[in-house]
Every structure is written in structure tokens, then in C-alpha cells.
Amino acid sequence: MFRQLLNVREGGRLRCLLRKRFEGAIWLPLVLVLGAIAVVGYADHLIASMSLVYLYILPLVISAVFLPKEISYCLIPICILLHDYFSPRIINLALRIFHNGSALVCFFIVLYVIQRYIREKEVLAKRVQQQRDDLLHDVELASQVQRMFLPSGKPGIAGLEIAGMMKPAKGLSGDYYDYIPINAHTLQTVIADVSGKGVSAALLMSATAAATHLEVNRERDMLEVVERLNTGIRSVSDGEHFVTLLLAEINAQRRTLRYVNCGHNPALLFQSETGKVTLLNSSCVPIGISPEENCELASVGLATGDILVFYTDGITEAQNDGGEEFGTGRLEAILQNGYSLSAEGLMTTIFSRVAEFCSHIGFADDATILIVKCNFDKSW
């Protein structure tokens, strides 16, 4: 289908462009064709040594492309009459009739073949365009289904300010994020990135999102959740795709963070007391690779003003026109300079800086940001 689309576009680009240019002004191509016929007739009159009747094919071909078929067929006898009138060659009547008749038949065949070819190309172009429109419609429907897996509102966990967003590089995304309240004081956040792009990555992302919701709502231990996710993803994956995932649990009452990072980009923890940024590195391979997922559960204390930044590699690997990546260093600098912003404001700032950094190229991968800001003193 795509090869047909390419042939239609490449082979008919000039013709379509000229047709659009002449659309609504049929007199212009008609004048050009008649002028070409007049030029051939004049040349036919000057050269007496040979017949130039078949040069009339050139203006007739142009008429077949840009004029209605009725007008093109009417031009055929005009060309024959002009040749018969202007050609100075002296031949007997029978040969003259045969010569003009064979030219007449040849012209009709040429016009018929060209116009039939053009009609088939137009039908093919419409069919390919319809298939393209149907495909885009299906992708948009799939994108709407994907957005259903993303959080639609913000959980009311006292002491936690949350903001998140995802920007797909294409219609479908391989990124996923969510924040799921466990109880009145506890929130679980998840951010994941499926390897690869396109429909296969999007389908695996949807499976990951559905499985994560199912496992988290059963109140399992995070390591057990990861193990069961690994089993589930391996059962539906083709063996070539995997999922990096960071699952975190924030308890606003105890002011603690527990997390398990399965090969995902290290989250950033800004500690307000020191002004430093700590990386929450991974402790195991991405899920869907090995039969067993031997991860470690890490924990850290939180304080008022601390900020957690979860993100996918679409943020740090965004490139400028010089091939330089945005990198974790720039992300840390934004966090240290913008710690006083709200979670929403910090998220917007990060995304704006990254978009500005890669403005000439654009995002090559899905970009996801999830911000959690601790405001414990305001909640107790």
C-alpha cells in the first residue's frame, strides 16, 4: 500500500500540481494546446520532404492530461485536417486517405490509453487516501483509548502536590504514568517506558497500564507487584520488547518514600534542607526480559519542600540541531533553580525548556514528566 502511495505521489505530483493550477480556468490549457497544434501545423507546412503528422501527438497528449476527454477527442480531427491542409507533399488520394486514417486511429488509441491510465491513477490515489484517512482515524481512536489509562484527576493526599503530563512523539505512545491513592495518606506513583515505537509499543504500554492497575489495587508488596508484572509482560511480549518501570510509594504521614526502579531513568529527588539532588537509580533489569525479576526495594526520608521528578528518556535524550542531548544535568539545574515553583509550574517549566532546546528538531521520542512536591507542614 505504501509503495503504491509513493508511486502515485512521485509519478503524479507534477500533473496534480498543474491540474490544480489550471482548475477553474480551462481556457488556459486549451489555449496552450491550440498554440502547440498551430506550431506543429506551421512546421508541417515548412517541411515538405516528410510527414510530420505524428508530431500532433505531443499537443494531444497534453490535452489528454489537462482537458476533458470530449475536448481532447474533438481535437483529433482538427489535427488531421490541419495536416491534410498544410502539408505540401503531393501523394495520390488512396495513400492520402490511408495515411490520414491510420494517424486518426493512432491518435484515438494514444488518447484512450493515456486517459485510462490517468483515471486508474486517480482511482488508486483516492483509494490510498481513503486507506490513509481510515488508518489515521483508527490511530486516533487507539490514542483516545490510551489516554483512558492516564490519570484524569489528582488524588487528594494531604501534604502532596502532584502534576503530570505526557506528550506522544506520534499518535500513539509507549510511555505511561499514573498516581494511585492507596489510602488517605499513601500514594503510589508509576512511570514506565516501552522499548521501541509505533503500534507494538503502544499495545504493550496499554497491557502494562492495565496490569499495573490490577496489581496495585490488590494491595500487594511492591516487589511482588513488579514480579507479577514481569510475568505478565513476558507472556504477552514478543521477546524483543521490554518495559522500564519505576514504582514508588509515598507516605505523607510517615514522610517516607519507598521505590523500586526496574531499569528506568533515575528519578530526581530534590532535598530542600541541603539543596542537593539525589538520583533514584535502578536496581534491576527492565521487566519482560528475564523470567525472574530480582529487584531491591529502596527507601528514603522526605521533608517539607522536597520534590520528586519522574521522567522518561524522551526528556533527557531530546537533541538540539547540533546533536547534543538535553541530559540529566540540565534537568537537575532546572529543579534546583525552580524548587519554589508549584508542581504544575515546575512541570511546565521543564517541558518548556526541553521543547525550546529541541525546537529545530522536535521530540524524537515520547516525553513524560511526573512531579510530586512535599508540602507536609501545610497539611498537619
PDB file of all heavy atoms in Angstrom, residues 4-34:
ATOM      1  N   GLN A   4       2.461   1.806  -3.370  1.00  0.00           N
ATOM      2  CA  GLN A   4       1.511   2.409  -4.296  1.00  0.00           C
ATOM      3  C   GLN A   4       1.353   3.892  -4.017  1.00  0.00           C
ATOM      4  O   GLN A   4       1.296   4.713  -4.933  1.00  0.00           O
ATOM      5  CB  GLN A   4       0.149   1.711  -4.176  1.00  0.00           C
ATOM      6  CG  GLN A   4       0.162   0.271  -4.672  1.00  0.00           C
ATOM      7  CD  GLN A   4      -1.171  -0.400  -4.444  1.00  0.00           C
ATOM      8  OE1 GLN A   4      -1.946  -0.009  -3.574  1.00  0.00           O
ATOM      9  NE2 GLN A   4      -1.452  -1.414  -5.232  1.00  0.00           N
ATOM     10  N   LEU A   5       1.279   4.221  -2.755  1.00  0.00           N
ATOM     11  CA  LEU A   5       1.152   5.626  -2.374  1.00  0.00           C
ATOM     12  C   LEU A   5       2.356   6.415  -2.854  1.00  0.00           C
ATOM     13  O   LEU A   5       2.213   7.525  -3.368  1.00  0.00           O
ATOM     14  CB  LEU A   5       1.026   5.738  -0.852  1.00  0.00           C
ATOM     15  CG  LEU A   5       0.940   7.153  -0.274  1.00  0.00           C
ATOM     16  CD1 LEU A   5      -0.269   7.881  -0.831  1.00  0.00           C
ATOM     17  CD2 LEU A   5       0.886   7.103   1.240  1.00  0.00           C
ATOM     18  N   LEU A   6       3.543   5.825  -2.734  1.00  0.00           N
ATOM     19  CA  LEU A   6       4.752   6.520  -3.182  1.00  0.00           C
ATOM     20  C   LEU A   6       4.731   6.717  -4.690  1.00  0.00           C
ATOM     21  O   LEU A   6       5.061   7.792  -5.189  1.00  0.00           O
ATOM     22  CB  LEU A   6       5.983   5.704  -2.781  1.00  0.00           C
ATOM     23  CG  LEU A   6       7.351   6.293  -3.169  1.00  0.00           C
ATOM     24  CD1 LEU A   6       7.542   7.649  -2.501  1.00  0.00           C
ATOM     25  CD2 LEU A   6       8.463   5.344  -2.809  1.00  0.00           C
ATOM     26  N   ASN A   7       4.312   5.674  -5.434  1.00  0.00           N
ATOM     27  CA  ASN A   7       4.261   5.804  -6.887  1.00  0.00           C
ATOM     28  C   ASN A   7       3.260   6.848  -7.327  1.00  0.00           C
ATOM     29  O   ASN A   7       3.504   7.612  -8.258  1.00  0.00           O
ATOM     30  CB  ASN A   7       3.903   4.449  -7.516  1.00  0.00           C
ATOM     31  CG  ASN A   7       5.007   3.428  -7.342  1.00  0.00           C
ATOM     32  OD1 ASN A   7       6.162   3.809  -7.188  1.00  0.00           O
ATOM     33  ND2 ASN A   7       4.662   2.153  -7.347  1.00  0.00           N
ATOM     34  N   VAL A   8       2.141   6.882  -6.675  1.00  0.00           N
ATOM     35  CA  VAL A   8       1.133   7.869  -7.030  1.00  0.00           C
ATOM     36  C   VAL A   8       1.649   9.269  -6.769  1.00  0.00           C
ATOM     37  O   VAL A   8       1.497  10.180  -7.572  1.00  0.00           O
ATOM     38  CB  VAL A   8      -0.174   7.606  -6.247  1.00  0.00           C
ATOM     39  CG1 VAL A   8      -1.141   8.759  -6.422  1.00  0.00           C
ATOM     40  CG2 VAL A   8      -0.808   6.312  -6.731  1.00  0.00           C
ATOM     41  N   ARG A   9       2.293   9.431  -5.627  1.00  0.00           N
ATOM     42  CA  ARG A   9       2.772  10.763  -5.273  1.00  0.00           C
ATOM     43  C   ARG A   9       3.906  11.215  -6.177  1.00  0.00           C
ATOM     44  O   ARG A   9       3.943  12.360  -6.627  1.00  0.00           O
ATOM     45  CB  ARG A   9       3.238  10.770  -3.817  1.00  0.00           C
ATOM     46  CG  ARG A   9       2.077  10.718  -2.837  1.00  0.00           C
ATOM     47  CD  ARG A   9       2.580  10.794  -1.415  1.00  0.00           C
ATOM     48  NE  ARG A   9       1.472  10.870  -0.476  1.00  0.00           N
ATOM     49  CZ  ARG A   9       1.633  10.881   0.832  1.00  0.00           C
ATOM     50  NH1 ARG A   9       2.839  10.834   1.363  1.00  0.00           N
ATOM     51  NH2 ARG A   9       0.589  10.957   1.633  1.00  0.00           N
ATOM     52  N   GLU A  10       4.864  10.315  -6.456  1.00  0.00           N
ATOM     53  CA  GLU A  10       6.018  10.701  -7.251  1.00  0.00           C
ATOM     54  C   GLU A  10       5.647  10.865  -8.712  1.00  0.00           C
ATOM     55  O   GLU A  10       6.064  11.818  -9.364  1.00  0.00           O
ATOM     56  CB  GLU A  10       7.128   9.644  -7.100  1.00  0.00           C
ATOM     57  CG  GLU A  10       7.700   9.561  -5.693  1.00  0.00           C
ATOM     58  CD  GLU A  10       8.361  10.834  -5.271  1.00  0.00           C
ATOM     59  OE1 GLU A  10       8.860  11.564  -6.142  1.00  0.00           O
ATOM     60  OE2 GLU A  10       8.393  11.114  -4.055  1.00  0.00           O
ATOM     61  N   GLY A  11       4.873   9.910  -9.234  1.00  0.00           N
ATOM     62  CA  GLY A  11       4.571   9.949 -10.655  1.00  0.00           C
ATOM     63  C   GLY A  11       3.566  11.007 -11.027  1.00  0.00           C
ATOM     64  O   GLY A  11       3.582  11.538 -12.134  1.00  0.00           O
ATOM     65  N   GLY A  12       2.650  11.319 -10.102  1.00  0.00           N
ATOM     66  CA  GLY A  12       1.592  12.256 -10.460  1.00  0.00           C
ATOM     67  C   GLY A  12       1.696  13.597  -9.787  1.00  0.00           C
ATOM     68  O   GLY A  12       0.762  14.384  -9.842  1.00  0.00           O
ATOM     69  N   ARG A  13       2.834  13.871  -9.132  1.00  0.00           N
ATOM     70  CA  ARG A  13       2.970  15.122  -8.395  1.00  0.00           C
ATOM     71  C   ARG A  13       2.873  16.335  -9.319  1.00  0.00           C
ATOM     72  O   ARG A  13       2.138  17.276  -9.068  1.00  0.00           O
ATOM     73  CB  ARG A  13       4.294  15.121  -7.639  1.00  0.00           C
ATOM     74  CG  ARG A  13       4.491  16.341  -6.769  1.00  0.00           C
ATOM     75  CD  ARG A  13       5.785  16.229  -5.992  1.00  0.00           C
ATOM     76  NE  ARG A  13       5.757  15.058  -5.128  1.00  0.00           N
ATOM     77  CZ  ARG A  13       6.819  14.613  -4.475  1.00  0.00           C
ATOM     78  NH1 ARG A  13       7.980  15.210  -4.620  1.00  0.00           N
ATOM     79  NH2 ARG A  13       6.723  13.555  -3.688  1.00  0.00           N
ATOM     80  N   LEU A  14       3.627  16.317 -10.437  1.00  0.00           N
ATOM     81  CA  LEU A  14       3.630  17.451 -11.356  1.00  0.00           C
ATOM     82  C   LEU A  14       2.273  17.610 -12.017  1.00  0.00           C
ATOM     83  O   LEU A  14       1.759  18.720 -12.153  1.00  0.00           O
ATOM     84  CB  LEU A  14       4.718  17.258 -12.416  1.00  0.00           C
ATOM     85  CG  LEU A  14       4.823  18.361 -13.484  1.00  0.00           C
ATOM     86  CD1 LEU A  14       5.115  19.704 -12.822  1.00  0.00           C
ATOM     87  CD2 LEU A  14       5.890  18.019 -14.498  1.00  0.00           C
ATOM     88  N   ARG A  15       1.691  16.480 -12.424  1.00  0.00           N
ATOM     89  CA  ARG A  15       0.394  16.548 -13.078  1.00  0.00           C
ATOM     90  C   ARG A  15      -0.668  17.101 -12.133  1.00  0.00           C
ATOM     91  O   ARG A  15      -1.472  17.954 -12.513  1.00  0.00           O
ATOM     92  CB  ARG A  15      -0.012  15.151 -13.556  1.00  0.00           C
ATOM     93  CG  ARG A  15      -1.401  15.097 -14.165  1.00  0.00           C
ATOM     94  CD  ARG A  15      -1.672  13.713 -14.733  1.00  0.00           C
ATOM     95  NE  ARG A  15      -1.500  12.685 -13.728  1.00  0.00           N
ATOM     96  CZ  ARG A  15      -2.412  12.354 -12.833  1.00  0.00           C
ATOM     97  NH1 ARG A  15      -3.556  13.004 -12.790  1.00  0.00           N
ATOM     98  NH2 ARG A  15      -2.185  11.395 -11.965  1.00  0.00           N
ATOM     99  N   CYS A  16      -0.683  16.639 -10.905  1.00  0.00           N
ATOM    100  CA  CYS A  16      -1.664  17.137  -9.939  1.00  0.00           C
ATOM    101  C   CYS A  16      -1.450  18.625  -9.651  1.00  0.00           C
ATOM    102  O   CYS A  16      -2.406  19.377  -9.517  1.00  0.00           O
ATOM    103  CB  CYS A  16      -1.581  16.335  -8.641  1.00  0.00           C
ATOM    104  SG  CYS A  16      -2.100  14.613  -8.817  1.00  0.00           S
ATOM    105  N   LEU A  17      -0.166  19.017  -9.568  1.00  0.00           N
ATOM    106  CA  LEU A  17       0.124  20.416  -9.306  1.00  0.00           C
ATOM    107  C   LEU A  17      -0.392  21.306 -10.426  1.00  0.00           C
ATOM    108  O   LEU A  17      -1.025  22.349 -10.185  1.00  0.00           O
ATOM    109  CB  LEU A  17       1.634  20.598  -9.136  1.00  0.00           C
ATOM    110  CG  LEU A  17       2.122  22.031  -8.872  1.00  0.00           C
ATOM    111  CD1 LEU A  17       1.537  22.546  -7.566  1.00  0.00           C
ATOM    112  CD2 LEU A  17       3.634  22.079  -8.849  1.00  0.00           C
ATOM    113  N   LEU A  18      -0.126  20.894 -11.664  1.00  0.00           N
ATOM    114  CA  LEU A  18      -0.592  21.693 -12.803  1.00  0.00           C
ATOM    115  C   LEU A  18      -2.108  21.671 -12.921  1.00  0.00           C
ATOM    116  O   LEU A  18      -2.725  22.677 -13.280  1.00  0.00           O
ATOM    117  CB  LEU A  18       0.045  21.167 -14.091  1.00  0.00           C
ATOM    118  CG  LEU A  18       1.570  21.380 -14.193  1.00  0.00           C
ATOM    119  CD1 LEU A  18       2.108  20.715 -15.448  1.00  0.00           C
ATOM    120  CD2 LEU A  18       1.903  22.865 -14.192  1.00  0.00           C
ATOM    121  N   ARG A  19      -2.713  20.529 -12.640  1.00  0.00           N
ATOM    122  CA  ARG A  19      -4.173  20.467 -12.701  1.00  0.00           C
ATOM    123  C   ARG A  19      -4.817  21.411 -11.690  1.00  0.00           C
ATOM    124  O   ARG A  19      -5.812  22.079 -11.972  1.00  0.00           O
ATOM    125  CB  ARG A  19      -4.644  19.028 -12.442  1.00  0.00           C
ATOM    126  CG  ARG A  19      -4.573  18.152 -13.677  1.00  0.00           C
ATOM    127  CD  ARG A  19      -5.393  16.896 -13.492  1.00  0.00           C
ATOM    128  NE  ARG A  19      -5.689  16.275 -14.764  1.00  0.00           N
ATOM    129  CZ  ARG A  19      -6.523  15.262 -14.910  1.00  0.00           C
ATOM    130  NH1 ARG A  19      -7.158  14.762 -13.869  1.00  0.00           N
ATOM    131  NH2 ARG A  19      -6.744  14.742 -16.093  1.00  0.00           N
ATOM    132  N   LYS A  20      -4.241  21.479 -10.499  1.00  0.00           N
ATOM    133  CA  LYS A  20      -4.772  22.403  -9.503  1.00  0.00           C
ATOM    134  C   LYS A  20      -4.574  23.840  -9.949  1.00  0.00           C
ATOM    135  O   LYS A  20      -5.403  24.706  -9.688  1.00  0.00           O
ATOM    136  CB  LYS A  20      -4.080  22.160  -8.155  1.00  0.00           C
ATOM    137  CG  LYS A  20      -4.494  20.863  -7.493  1.00  0.00           C
ATOM    138  CD  LYS A  20      -3.818  20.705  -6.144  1.00  0.00           C
ATOM    139  CE  LYS A  20      -4.256  19.408  -5.476  1.00  0.00           C
ATOM    140  NZ  LYS A  20      -3.606  19.230  -4.160  1.00  0.00           N
ATOM    141  N   ARG A  21      -3.448  24.071 -10.631  1.00  0.00           N
ATOM    142  CA  ARG A  21      -3.165  25.428 -11.105  1.00  0.00           C
ATOM    143  C   ARG A  21      -4.165  25.840 -12.183  1.00  0.00           C
ATOM    144  O   ARG A  21      -4.577  27.003 -12.261  1.00  0.00           O
ATOM    145  CB  ARG A  21      -1.728  25.475 -11.646  1.00  0.00           C
ATOM    146  CG  ARG A  21      -1.238  26.877 -11.957  1.00  0.00           C
ATOM    147  CD  ARG A  21      -0.990  27.638 -10.672  1.00  0.00           C
ATOM    148  NE  ARG A  21      -0.448  28.944 -10.939  1.00  0.00           N
ATOM    149  CZ  ARG A  21       0.850  29.206 -10.953  1.00  0.00           C
ATOM    150  NH1 ARG A  21       1.704  28.223 -10.701  1.00  0.00           N
ATOM    151  NH2 ARG A  21       1.290  30.414 -11.182  1.00  0.00           N
ATOM    152  N   PHE A  22      -4.544  24.877 -13.033  1.00  0.00           N
ATOM    153  CA  PHE A  22      -5.452  25.175 -14.127  1.00  0.00           C
ATOM    154  C   PHE A  22      -6.921  25.017 -13.741  1.00  0.00           C
ATOM    155  O   PHE A  22      -7.804  25.304 -14.541  1.00  0.00           O
ATOM    156  CB  PHE A  22      -5.167  24.264 -15.324  1.00  0.00           C
ATOM    157  CG  PHE A  22      -3.822  24.513 -15.951  1.00  0.00           C
ATOM    158  CD1 PHE A  22      -3.108  23.467 -16.529  1.00  0.00           C
ATOM    159  CD2 PHE A  22      -3.276  25.783 -15.964  1.00  0.00           C
ATOM    160  CE1 PHE A  22      -1.870  23.710 -17.104  1.00  0.00           C
ATOM    161  CE2 PHE A  22      -2.037  26.021 -16.537  1.00  0.00           C
ATOM    162  CZ  PHE A  22      -1.336  24.985 -17.114  1.00  0.00           C
ATOM    163  N   GLU A  23      -7.179  24.531 -12.545  1.00  0.00           N
ATOM    164  CA  GLU A  23      -8.553  24.254 -12.125  1.00  0.00           C
ATOM    165  C   GLU A  23      -9.368  25.546 -12.108  1.00  0.00           C
ATOM    166  O   GLU A  23      -8.965  26.556 -11.545  1.00  0.00           O
ATOM    167  CB  GLU A  23      -8.553  23.622 -10.731  1.00  0.00           C
ATOM    168  CG  GLU A  23      -9.911  23.127 -10.295  1.00  0.00           C
ATOM    169  CD  GLU A  23      -9.858  22.401  -8.968  1.00  0.00           C
ATOM    170  OE1 GLU A  23      -8.751  22.304  -8.400  1.00  0.00           O
ATOM    171  OE2 GLU A  23     -10.902  21.951  -8.503  1.00  0.00           O
ATOM    172  N   GLY A  24     -10.520  25.471 -12.754  1.00  0.00           N
ATOM    173  CA  GLY A  24     -11.387  26.655 -12.831  1.00  0.00           C
ATOM    174  C   GLY A  24     -11.028  27.581 -13.979  1.00  0.00           C
ATOM    175  O   GLY A  24     -11.710  28.566 -14.208  1.00  0.00           O
ATOM    176  N   ALA A  25      -9.959  27.271 -14.734  1.00  0.00           N
ATOM    177  CA  ALA A  25      -9.561  28.103 -15.873  1.00  0.00           C
ATOM    178  C   ALA A  25      -9.202  27.180 -17.025  1.00  0.00           C
ATOM    179  O   ALA A  25      -8.043  27.068 -17.422  1.00  0.00           O
ATOM    180  CB  ALA A  25      -8.390  29.007 -15.503  1.00  0.00           C
ATOM    181  N   ILE A  26     -10.206  26.506 -17.595  1.00  0.00           N
ATOM    182  CA  ILE A  26      -9.965  25.516 -18.636  1.00  0.00           C
ATOM    183  C   ILE A  26      -9.456  26.169 -19.912  1.00  0.00           C
ATOM    184  O   ILE A  26      -8.814  25.535 -20.750  1.00  0.00           O
ATOM    185  CB  ILE A  26     -11.260  24.707 -18.895  1.00  0.00           C
ATOM    186  CG1 ILE A  26     -10.919  23.445 -19.694  1.00  0.00           C
ATOM    187  CG2 ILE A  26     -12.292  25.568 -19.608  1.00  0.00           C
ATOM    188  CD1 ILE A  26     -12.097  22.538 -19.873  1.00  0.00           C
ATOM    189  N   TRP A  27      -9.751  27.450 -20.063  1.00  0.00           N
ATOM    190  CA  TRP A  27      -9.321  28.136 -21.282  1.00  0.00           C
ATOM    191  C   TRP A  27      -7.792  28.221 -21.380  1.00  0.00           C
ATOM    192  O   TRP A  27      -7.237  28.227 -22.477  1.00  0.00           O
ATOM    193  CB  TRP A  27      -9.904  29.559 -21.326  1.00  0.00           C
ATOM    194  CG  TRP A  27      -9.468  30.422 -20.165  1.00  0.00           C
ATOM    195  CD1 TRP A  27     -10.108  30.564 -18.970  1.00  0.00           C
ATOM    196  CD2 TRP A  27      -8.294  31.227 -20.108  1.00  0.00           C
ATOM    197  NE1 TRP A  27      -9.410  31.416 -18.155  1.00  0.00           N
ATOM    198  CE2 TRP A  27      -8.293  31.853 -18.833  1.00  0.00           C
ATOM    199  CE3 TRP A  27      -7.255  31.500 -20.986  1.00  0.00           C
ATOM    200  CZ2 TRP A  27      -7.273  32.713 -18.431  1.00  0.00           C
ATOM    201  CZ3 TRP A  27      -6.249  32.365 -20.596  1.00  0.00           C
ATOM    202  CH2 TRP A  27      -6.260  32.964 -19.322  1.00  0.00           C
ATOM    203  N   LEU A  28      -7.111  28.261 -20.231  1.00  0.00           N
ATOM    204  CA  LEU A  28      -5.659  28.402 -20.261  1.00  0.00           C
ATOM    205  C   LEU A  28      -4.974  27.165 -20.858  1.00  0.00           C
ATOM    206  O   LEU A  28      -4.172  27.300 -21.808  1.00  0.00           O
ATOM    207  CB  LEU A  28      -5.135  28.691 -18.859  1.00  0.00           C
ATOM    208  CG  LEU A  28      -3.632  28.929 -18.729  1.00  0.00           C
ATOM    209  CD1 LEU A  28      -3.180  30.045 -19.647  1.00  0.00           C
ATOM    210  CD2 LEU A  28      -3.254  29.247 -17.288  1.00  0.00           C
ATOM    211  N   PRO A  29      -5.242  25.923 -20.364  1.00  0.00           N
ATOM    212  CA  PRO A  29      -4.636  24.763 -21.038  1.00  0.00           C
ATOM    213  C   PRO A  29      -5.120  24.588 -22.471  1.00  0.00           C
ATOM    214  O   PRO A  29      -4.377  24.119 -23.330  1.00  0.00           O
ATOM    215  CB  PRO A  29      -5.043  23.582 -20.157  1.00  0.00           C
ATOM    216  CG  PRO A  29      -6.219  24.047 -19.378  1.00  0.00           C
ATOM    217  CD  PRO A  29      -6.031  25.513 -19.171  1.00  0.00           C
ATOM    218  N   LEU A  30      -6.381  25.010 -22.734  1.00  0.00           N
ATOM    219  CA  LEU A  30      -6.895  24.907 -24.099  1.00  0.00           C
ATOM    220  C   LEU A  30      -6.114  25.813 -25.043  1.00  0.00           C
ATOM    221  O   LEU A  30      -5.757  25.417 -26.170  1.00  0.00           O
ATOM    222  CB  LEU A  30      -8.385  25.253 -24.125  1.00  0.00           C
ATOM    223  CG  LEU A  30      -9.068  25.185 -25.495  1.00  0.00           C
ATOM    224  CD1 LEU A  30      -8.950  23.780 -26.073  1.00  0.00           C
ATOM    225  CD2 LEU A  30     -10.527  25.606 -25.387  1.00  0.00           C
ATOM    226  N   VAL A  31      -5.811  27.019 -24.594  1.00  0.00           N
ATOM    227  CA  VAL A  31      -5.022  27.943 -25.411  1.00  0.00           C
ATOM    228  C   VAL A  31      -3.620  27.377 -25.647  1.00  0.00           C
ATOM    229  O   VAL A  31      -3.069  27.458 -26.762  1.00  0.00           O
ATOM    230  CB  VAL A  31      -4.952  29.331 -24.737  1.00  0.00           C
ATOM    231  CG1 VAL A  31      -3.907  30.218 -25.412  1.00  0.00           C
ATOM    232  CG2 VAL A  31      -6.314  30.012 -24.773  1.00  0.00           C
ATOM    233  N   LEU A  32      -3.030  26.796 -24.608  1.00  0.00           N
ATOM    234  CA  LEU A  32      -1.697  26.212 -24.756  1.00  0.00           C
ATOM    235  C   LEU A  32      -1.702  25.052 -25.749  1.00  0.00           C
ATOM    236  O   LEU A  32      -0.789  24.925 -26.582  1.00  0.00           O
ATOM    237  CB  LEU A  32      -1.193  25.738 -23.390  1.00  0.00           C
ATOM    238  CG  LEU A  32      -0.925  26.837 -22.350  1.00  0.00           C
ATOM    239  CD1 LEU A  32      -0.525  26.216 -21.022  1.00  0.00           C
ATOM    240  CD2 LEU A  32       0.160  27.794 -22.838  1.00  0.00           C
ATOM    241  N   VAL A  33      -2.711  24.214 -25.693  1.00  0.00           N
ATOM    242  CA  VAL A  33      -2.796  23.075 -26.608  1.00  0.00           C
ATOM    243  C   VAL A  33      -3.010  23.549 -28.040  1.00  0.00           C
ATOM    244  O   VAL A  33      -2.354  23.064 -28.977  1.00  0.00           O
ATOM    245  CB  VAL A  33      -3.927  22.122 -26.165  1.00  0.00           C
ATOM    246  CG1 VAL A  33      -4.185  21.068 -27.231  1.00  0.00           C
ATOM    247  CG2 VAL A  33      -3.573  21.451 -24.846  1.00  0.00           C
ATOM    248  N   LEU A  34      -3.918  24.499 -28.218  1.00  0.00           N
ATOM    249  CA  LEU A  34      -4.158  25.021 -29.567  1.00  0.00           C
ATOM    250  C   LEU A  34      -2.914  25.705 -30.117  1.00  0.00           C
ATOM    251  O   LEU A  34      -2.609  25.608 -31.319  1.00  0.00           O
ATOM    252  CB  LEU A  34      -5.341  25.987 -29.545  1.00  0.00           C
ATOM    253  CG  LEU A  34      -6.712  25.368 -29.258  1.00  0.00           C
ATOM    254  CD1 LEU A  34      -7.792  26.443 -29.186  1.00  0.00           C
ATOM    255  CD2 LEU A  34      -7.071  24.327 -30.321  1.00  0.00           C
TER     256      LEU A  34
END
